[in-house]
Amino acid sequence: FQAEDGIRDRSPSRGLGDVYKRQENNCWENALNVNLMSHVYAAKYLLPNMINRNQGYFLQIISAAALLSQIGDAAYSASKSAALSFAESLAINNGHLGIKVSAVCPQYIATPMLGMDKDNFTKNKNLISTQTAARRIIKGLIEERFLIFTDDKTNKLFKKKSENYESWIIGMQKLKQKILDETGKIGSTWPILSHFGPSGASEMSSQHQFHPV
């Protein structure tokens, strides 16, 4: 383990070299620019006019990784958490000026990011279609909720995390090891989800995150 950057595991027995090569400086810069600064730039441009007319709405599409982390991708998780924190600041500091904010934290949706689209959608109880996600997001907008989920499991896992942070960390460590033991690598979300079959990574995460040590 290299202390100078704090994230790269060079142990040959782990088989994680290719994954953590993505965590170089340019990866962090790109992740922060896309996942955080895009929201900052949008607010910088739009907020003054919204304040002048005493109304405005920011809908920020973030990720469940902002709440639950993404195993194997520190840059993605950190930048998404930062984006959620920025959305909170927008809401806190501008709510009295008529500005509303919703932060969408989607989990598994059948999009090209997971190698899927409407024509090759694979049914899975932990994977929803883009149409279902859109309906749930619109419902959250109508209700003017700050935090909008596309999957009920996200909220349940987030509540368990907040109830016992230490147990959650230990559980995620066990989950990471289980994935390594069964797949030999930590990769993108979709291979993890598909490998564990219909129960998916979310259910497995629920099982392993909160057991007593």
Side-chain angles (χ1 to χ4, degrees):
F1 187 83
Q2 299 297 306
E4 65 269 19
D5 59 20
I7 53 177
R8 296 184 66 185
D9 184 346
R10 298 180 183 271
S11 169
S13 63
R14 288 294 191 184
L16 291 177
D18 290 341
V19 171
Y20 285 94
K21 284 177 183 177
R22 297 184 297 143
Q23 308 289 270
E24 301 287 358
N25 284 345
N26 64 332
C27 170
W28 281 88
E29 291 169 2
N30 290 339
L32 289 168
N33 283 334
V34 172
N35 297 331
L36 170 62
M37 295 308 298
S38 58
H39 298 294
V40 175
Y41 295 143
K44 183 178 180 180
Y45 180 79
L46 296 171
L47 193 56
N49 287 332
M50 290 181 174
I51 291 174
N52 286 338
R53 64 174 186 261
N54 295 314
Q55 65 175 358
Y57 208 123
F58 287 97
L59 173 63
Q60 300 192 345
I61 307 298
I62 303 180
S63 171
L67 300 169
L68 302 174
S69 192
Q70 171 65 48
I71 293 174
D73 201 330
Y76 183 81
S77 299
S79 60
K80 290 297 187 178
S81 294
L84 181 59
S85 181
F86 178 68
E88 291 172 353
S89 294
L90 269 182
I92 292 167
N93 294 319
N94 299 287
H96 68 293
L97 300 173
I99 310 302
K100 299 183 183 300
V101 181
S102 287
V104 182
C105 291
Q107 201 160 344
Y108 298 118
I109 300 175
T111 66
M113 184 177 179
L114 300 184
M116 306 187 79
D117 55 36
K118 64 180 180 179
D119 296 323
N120 67 343
F121 174 59
T122 300
K123 290 185 178 180
N124 185 302
K125 66 179 181 179
N126 288 311
L127 183 70
I128 64 172
S129 68
T130 53
Q131 292 85 351
T132 298
R135 285 195 297 269
R136 292 176 180 175
I137 292 170
I138 291 171
K139 184 176 184 293
L141 280 173
I142 293 172
E143 297 172 355
E144 296 186 350
R145 284 187 276 120
F146 172 76
L147 202 54
I148 299 175
F149 301 111
T150 58
D151 190 320
D152 293 336
K153 290 181 180 178
T154 307
N155 191 27
K156 293 176 182 177
L157 291 173
F158 179 53
K159 286 181 178 179
K160 287 185 177 181
K161 173 184 175 180
S162 63
E163 289 168 0
N164 192 332
Y165 223 117
E166 300 299 325
S167 179
W168 177 79
I169 291 291
I170 292 170
M172 290 293 278
Q173 291 170 342
K174 290 180 178 179
L175 176 58
K176 175 190 172 184
Q177 189 57 51
K178 181 176 178 65
I179 295 168
L180 279 172
D181 290 343
E182 299 195 20
T183 69
K185 61 182 179 179
I186 296 290
S188 63
T189 301
W190 174 242
I192 294 173
L193 178 66
S194 60
H195 172 78
F196 289 104
S199 60
S202 294
E203 184 170 318
M204 185 183 66
S205 172
S206 178
Q207 291 173 345
H208 289 272
Q209 282 178 20
F210 309 109
H211 282 185
V213 179

